[in-house]
Amino acid sequence: MHYTLCDLIADLTQNAQEAASSHIRVEFTESENNLTVYIRDNGKGMDGELLKKVRDPFYTDGIKHPNRKIGMGIPFLIQTTAETGGEWKIDSVPGKGTVVYMSFDLKNIDTPPIGDVCGLFRQLLIFPGDYELEIVRTKHTQDCSLTYTLLRSELSDALGKMETASDLALLDEFLQSQENG
């Protein structure tokens, strides 16, 4: 299992990026009791047979990671939701893309902590490749209410390639400002 939910979300979003997607949308919605995430991409997509295979931790296509013998992202999602009263679903159409849905009961004692949301968003924004990433963040709890949208292209226009320490420091500062309202 992943240490935090953000680790799991990063792993699954990287799958979307590696599926030759030109647009990935991550919807991250947090309430007092629940975290719901959608990862939508317009990548290669998967047929029904492949959708069954990716549930098996001992399956990997061997293409993305030639030396790897296992693929754990989807199996970890299945395990985490099953053990914590959560939900998950994957819809995919070959040539059209994939939608991964996950929902976690934050009050369940076995649910991993959410983790570093700003760190997650930074990690997603700096994955290599030529694609648009859209992050839609919503949080409505007793202590906080916020909604914002990030576009990788807009941040790249403002910060450059987000490769230098100073670019990443500015990105971190901006992400923190969004989270703190």
Side-chain angles (χ1 to χ4, degrees), residues 115-122 125 137 144 146 148 150 168-181:
D116 179 3
V117 175
C118 291
L120 167 67
F121 293 167
R122 180 186 60 247
L125 289 162
R137 167 70 156 132
C144 179
L146 60 87
Y148 62 88
L150 304 171
L168 294 176
L170 284 172
L171 177 59
D172 282 342
E173 187 177 319
F174 176 73
L175 293 171
Q176 288 294 334
S177 75
Q178 296 301 298
E179 281 296 302
N180 297 329

Side-chain angles (χ1 to χ4, degrees), residues 118-135:
C118 291
L120 167 67
F121 293 167
R122 180 186 60 247
Q123 182 178 1
L124 301 182
L125 289 162
I126 65 172
F127 280 152
D130 185 25
Y131 60 92
E132 178 66 275
L133 175 68
E134 179 181 5
I135 298 172

Side-chain angles (χ1 to χ4, degrees), residues 2 16 24 29 32 34 41 48 53 81 97 107 111-112 129 155 160 170:
H2 287 82
I24 301 166
T29 304
E32 203 72 45
N34 199 42
D41 72 63
K53 287 181 180 178
T81 56
K107 296 295 185 186
T111 300
L155 290 168
L170 284 172

Side-chain angles (χ1 to χ4, degrees), residues 13-25 39-45 96-98 128-133 152:
T13 305
Q14 187 173 10
N15 290 344
Q17 187 268 334
E18 292 173 342
S21 302
S22 62
H23 189 272
I24 301 166
R25 179 180 168 108
I39 302 168
R40 304 173 192 274
D41 72 63
N42 66 350
K44 297 176 190 175
K96 299 283 185 185
T98 301
D130 185 25
Y131 60 92
E132 178 66 275
L133 175 68
R152 184 176 190 240

